[in-house]
Amino acid sequence: MLIYADKNGHELVCHESASEAFIAQLASTEFGTSELRYRRLDCEQVASRLDDARFLELTKRGELIGTYMFCPQRLAIGDVELSGTYRGLLTVAPEHRSSGVSRLLVREALAWLRQQADGQPHVTFGCIDLGNQRSIRLLQSVGVRQFGELRSMLVYRHLTARSDSVDVVDSTARITEALQAGYGDCGLRPLHESNGPFYGIADGGTLVAGARAELVRLNLAAPDSYWPRVYGAMIDVFPPGKRRFDPREFRYVRLFDVVARENSAAAWRTLLKDILDRHGAHMAMFVMDPRRETYAELERAGLFGRLSRLTRQNIAVVGNALHPGDTLIKQIIDQPLAIGPPDI
């Protein structure tokens, strides 16, 4: 579907799947900031697991120069349900940066999304490293606001082990009930069900600890990145971890749809070791609003140690409300966020 065209040869087209050119540009793009830069591995897998995503390609005279991805979301703010869109995988070919292409791509993509909302309540959001002020300013220039901040942290476990107390939960109702209970202190929260197995520990039939998990691989071997310093610090803390850390193929388990009920510390320590063992990894990443009670419970469990502090990154959640009133926007900004990036 053609979204936009101009006399300079630019065309913005929406596809229902990621093309080979989209995947190739995604794989060659260096993401992050001057401190933490990385390239994505397994890009086809990243694109394929995003339900009903739409892939936008900006070309100039037939050459791909920019990409964007819109992923539909079902969201709620208080008692109000509304549709939403997560925005990610924004790239611009290096030779076209600083030429206005990024602004053109974002502006026209958001204009098209506003048309698709057709006057109905709709919230869009994306996640950007807080250090990437250039991208944040770009989005603010087209009317996007900062909703809040998330915190990403890595957790390392040298020893991993399966546990008989951990189950792969197949009851959607139980998972939904546990997740919604954990969203009680949040404003903007998801209503949709994520993909992938849910690992949990129950007490008396109630899920007290749980999460979905996915193995992620990144290439962190960018020149001048601060990761070599983090690596050195990690080796000082965990000397045996040296043989398990390869910056060119950094492996971690992304944890999402996290459930951490009150007094779940012991359960979470068991669950984390089990999930890592199942995925053949020794590091896990949490991405969460630090204002949430769920985050506080994980902190009380002692999961976030020295390595977590060394690798902590603050992520700005930036978005706009296409049609909700100011009251709903205030709820989004004033309360913890339960949303997060599905592509990190």
Side-chain angles (χ1 to χ4, degrees):
M1 175 191 301
L2 180 65
I3 295 174
Y4 170 82
D6 64 22
K7 62 182 180 181
N8 296 318
H10 295 111
E11 288 190 349
L12 183 59
V13 179
C14 176
H15 300 280
E16 294 184 356
S17 60
S19 68
E20 291 184 6
F22 188 110
I23 296 297
Q25 178 150 315
L26 185 61
S28 65
T29 297
E30 197 172 87
F31 292 89
T33 65
S34 59
E35 290 189 336
L36 173 58
R37 297 199 302 278
Y38 61 90
R39 289 185 178 177
R40 296 173 181 267
L41 304 176
D42 303 326
C43 291
E44 289 187 31
Q45 178 183 341
V46 172
S48 64
R49 64 175 164 77
L50 298 168
D51 286 344
D52 301 320
R54 290 162 290 180
F55 299 89
L56 279 61
E57 297 185 358
L58 179 66
T59 61
K60 184 171 184 179
R61 299 184 180 91
E63 176 191 359
L64 180 66
I65 62 172
T67 70
Y68 215 179
M69 180 275 300
F70 286 173
C71 188
Q73 307 274 296
R74 289 179 54 238
L75 304 170
I77 309 173
D79 295 329
V80 178
E81 296 186 15
L82 66 163
S83 63
T85 298
Y86 171 76
R87 299 175 281 101
L89 307 186
L90 176 62
T91 75
V92 171
E95 62 271 22
H96 290 276
R97 293 171 190 166
S98 302
S99 66
V101 167
S102 297
R103 180 179 174 82
L104 169 65
L105 174 54
V106 172
R107 183 190 69 217
E108 296 305 326
L110 290 178
W112 176 73
L113 189 59
R114 185 173 289 107
Q115 292 177 348
Q116 298 300 300
D118 195 26
Q120 299 301 308
H122 194 95
V123 170
T124 82
F125 69 96
C127 297
I128 303 175
D129 190 290
L130 196 60
N132 191 351
Q133 286 296 312
R134 181 176 180 178
S135 294
I136 292 175
R137 288 194 296 269
L138 166 65
L139 289 165
Q140 289 174 336
S141 72
V142 294
V144 173
R145 301 175 61 180
Q146 184 164 331
F147 287 168
E149 292 182 18
L150 306 178
R151 182 173 294 168
S152 73
M153 293 191 294
L154 286 170
V155 175
Y156 176 84
R157 290 295 181 269
H158 179 64
L159 298 177
T160 66
R162 298 285 184 99
S163 172
D164 292 339
S165 62
V166 177
D167 293 320
V168 179
V169 183
D170 57 6
S171 170
T172 300
R174 290 181 68 201
I175 297 170
T176 300
E177 179 186 8
L179 287 171
Q180 294 303 320
Y183 296 155
D185 60 340
C186 298
L188 188 61
R189 66 186 191 277
L191 292 178
H192 65 283
E193 291 296 327
S194 301
N195 287 328
F198 187 95
Y199 306 98
I201 295 178
D203 182 7
T206 299
L207 281 172
V208 296
R212 299 188 197 276
E214 181 179 49
L215 186 67
V216 177
R217 299 190 310 135
L218 301 177
N219 181 352
L220 299 176
D224 302 322
S225 170
Y226 92 147
W227 267 97
R229 299 199 300 275
V230 172
Y231 174 48
M234 186 190 76
I235 299 310
D236 289 342
V237 181
F238 309 109
K242 183 174 183 179
R243 63 181 180 274
R244 291 176 174 157
F245 184 90
D246 181 357
R248 294 164 300 181
E249 189 180 342
F250 178 67
R251 295 159 52 89
Y252 67 89
V253 176
R254 181 178 77 99
L255 298 176
F256 57 107
D257 286 354
V258 173
V259 171
R261 301 255 192 178
E262 188 177 3
N263 299 320
S264 62
W268 252 105
R269 288 192 289 269
T270 298
L271 178 64
L272 180 60
K273 290 182 179 180
D274 182 280
I275 290 176
L276 289 173
D277 194 80
R278 290 172 188 263
H279 290 81
H282 293 269
M283 290 193 189
M285 177 179 282
F286 292 86
V287 181
M288 195 177 301
D289 191 324
R291 298 174 295 171
R292 290 185 57 186
E293 177 58 29
T294 299
Y295 178 94
E297 183 63 29
L298 294 172
E299 198 164 40
R300 287 192 289 268
L303 298 187
F304 305 140
R306 183 176 174 185
L307 179 64
S308 301
R309 293 188 292 272
L310 286 169
T311 59
R312 185 172 70 187
Q313 296 287 309
N314 294 319
I315 300 171
V317 180
V318 293
N320 56 356
L322 303 184
H323 298 292
D326 291 340
T327 301
L328 294 181
I329 290 295
K330 189 174 187 304
Q331 286 181 268
I332 295 176
I333 295 173
D334 289 349
Q335 295 179 307
L337 299 167
I339 56 176
D343 60 337
I344 290 181

